[in-house]
């Protein structure tokens, strides 16, 4: 308790800009009002749980110290990302957590970066933290790829998908075809594939699978506001 108070005071004073601050406020809760319906199961032998998992999103997102962020977005004097919404509504249909890990700071945003389009959000925590499913769905991919390293793609139904890349590992039972609940462990963030350091590369995509998927800025969606998600 004393530590928490000290951390909060430090945050208020603007002395601590990163991970400690991001955990100080009470976490928000994913809405369990039935708005999100995962796609129908491909298999019923899931060893990964289709129930809601232990993850609770952090209220705030901060920029990492000493990181060079070329993507344009707004933040305050404490390096807190402005207008950050931990629970968002994608395409008016699917509710997801916009940052599916805890105590993380942002190293890169979505958009133009070094002459290319960065199609996701990069966040990191130290020590490397667990990455969780951002919404209920069906796992479409859980594999190792040359660019994404250990990567997972989840289909949330209604044409909305999330991708998690560069994981150090893929948790047991996280396999293509399995139904998974919100907030279930996927793997520890890592630096597998084409990556320059331990972080999570997180994408929100819309479209059809297999087929064409279009990436969107995870921070661009409106907040999902309900009485059950009071923050
Ligand atoms: Zn990235």
């Amino acid at each position: 308790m004393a530590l928490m108070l000290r951390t909060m005071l430090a945050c208020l004073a603007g002395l601590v800009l990163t991970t400690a601050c991001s955990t100080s406020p009470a976490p928000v809760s994913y809405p369990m009002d039935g708005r999100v319906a995962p796609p129908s199961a491909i298999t019923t032998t899931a060893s990964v749980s289709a129930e809601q998992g232990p993850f609770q999103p952090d209220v705030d997102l901060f920029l990492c110290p000493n990181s060079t962020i070329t993507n344009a977005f707004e933040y305050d004097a404490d390096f807190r990302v402005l207008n950050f919404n931990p629970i968002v509504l994608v395409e008016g249909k699917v509710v997801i957590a916009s940052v599916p890990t805890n105590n993380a700071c942002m190293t890169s945003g979505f958009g133009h970066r070094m002459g290319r389009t960065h199609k996701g959000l990069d966040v990191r925590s130290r020590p490397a933290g667990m990455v969780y499913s951002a919404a209920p769905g069906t796992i479409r991919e859980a594999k190792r790829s040359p660019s994404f390293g250990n990567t997972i793609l989840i289909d949330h139904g209604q044409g909305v998908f999330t991708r998690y890349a560069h994981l150090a590992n893929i948790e047991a039972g996280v396999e293509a075809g399995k139904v998974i609940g919100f907030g279930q462990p996927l793997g520890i963030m890592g630096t597998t594939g084409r990556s320059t350091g331990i972080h999570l590369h997180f994408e929100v995509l819309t479209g059809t699978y297999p087929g064409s998927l279009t990436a969107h800025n995870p921070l661009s969606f409106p907040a999902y506001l309900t009485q059950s998600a009071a923050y």
Side-chain angles (χ1 to χ4, degrees):
M1 190 59 189
L3 176 62
M4 180 183 286
L5 184 61
R6 204 158 60 234
T7 302
M8 289 176 68
L9 289 172
C11 290
L12 289 171
L15 298 175
V16 179
L17 304 176
T18 58
T19 58
C21 292
S22 63
T23 54
S24 296
V28 295
S29 295
Y30 187 83
M32 298 304 289
D33 59 2
R35 179 74 177 265
V36 178
S40 57
I42 292 175
T43 171
T44 56
T45 57
S47 54
V48 61
S49 177
E51 301 300 314
Q52 181 169 356
F55 173 60
Q56 292 204 312
D58 292 332
V59 171
D60 289 317
L61 178 64
F62 291 82
L63 302 190
C64 297
N66 305 318
S67 63
T68 304
I69 297 184
T70 57
N71 319 76
F73 59 90
E74 296 180 57
Y75 51 90
D76 68 11
D78 292 335
F79 294 87
R80 184 194 317 261
V81 176
L82 296 179
N83 304 314
F84 171 68
N85 298 306
I87 305 285
V88 296
L89 187 61
V90 178
E91 306 274 284
K93 301 169 189 164
V94 174
V95 180
I96 70 165
S98 54
V99 177
T101 187
N102 291 124
N103 307 327
C105 57
M106 180 177 172
T107 59
S108 185
F110 181 98
H112 294 294
R113 185 176 71 173
M114 293 178 286
R116 299 173 57 190
T117 299
H118 181 232
K119 295 186 175 179
L121 184 69
D122 289 350
V123 297
R124 72 163 191 237
S125 64
R126 295 292 183 268
M130 179 61 72
V131 175
Y132 300 90
S133 49
T138 300
I139 301 165
R140 294 296 180 192
E141 297 176 358
K143 65 181 186 183
R144 182 131 187 167
S145 96
S147 54
F148 286 136
N150 290 320
T151 182
I152 293 162
L153 181 73
I154 301 178
D155 181 347
H156 303 294
Q158 311 202 62
V160 176
F161 301 75
T162 52
R163 176 180 280 134
Y164 314 77
H166 310 304
L167 300 175
N169 69 295
I170 294 175
E171 290 291 293
V174 174
E175 300 165 3
K178 300 289 179 64
V179 172
I180 191 167
F182 165 78
Q184 291 289 350
L186 299 177
I188 302 287
M189 68 175 66
T191 186
T192 57
R194 211 149 53 227
S195 168
T196 56
I198 294 172
H199 75 289
L200 167 68
H201 172 90
F202 176 61
E203 295 183 358
V204 177
L205 305 138
T206 58
T208 55
Y209 181 89
S212 64
L213 294 176
T214 302
H216 303 268
N217 182 354
L219 302 185
S220 69
F221 300 107
Y224 178 62
L225 300 170
T226 71
Q227 290 185 335
S228 61
Y231 57 86

